[in-house]
Amino acid sequence: MSSDTVKPFLINKDEAGNFRLTVRDIHYNSQGYPIVTSTLQAEFFKTATVARSFARDHFQAQAGQFASK
């Protein structure tokens, strides 16, 4: 089992230069392995900071819960 923890919010840049937010829902099976379901949000953002603000406002995200790609 991996010791890496999955951050619930992923911010990545698409080929057009827009930032996208992916919300990941993490559950664990009976053996403790993570099962991750990812949902790409429909919104486009000009900067990663705006994407973080959106996540804080709509999903109650906190510092340290973001990953970037």
Side-chain angles (χ1 to χ4, degrees):
M1 183 158 102
S2 174
S3 64
D4 297 334
T5 59
V6 178
K7 305 285 183 175
F9 301 99
L10 173 66
I11 298 172
N12 60 351
K13 196 172 193 179
D14 65 11
E15 60 278 348
N18 297 311
F19 287 88
R20 302 293 306 268
L21 176 67
T22 302
V23 178
R24 299 187 281 196
D25 187 32
I26 305 149
H27 296 291
Y28 295 90
N29 68 7
S30 61
Q31 280 82 40
Y33 287 95
I35 299 171
V36 180
T37 305
S38 299
T39 306
L40 180 65
Q41 300 301 301
E43 292 81 1
F44 294 93
F45 306 100
K46 289 190 176 207
T47 66
T49 303
V50 175
R52 282 187 187 96
S53 295
F54 179 85
R56 276 194 299 269
D57 294 342
H58 291 88
F59 300 105
Q60 290 76 40
Q62 298 176 0
Q65 292 183 325
F66 295 98
S68 59
K69 198 173 192 184

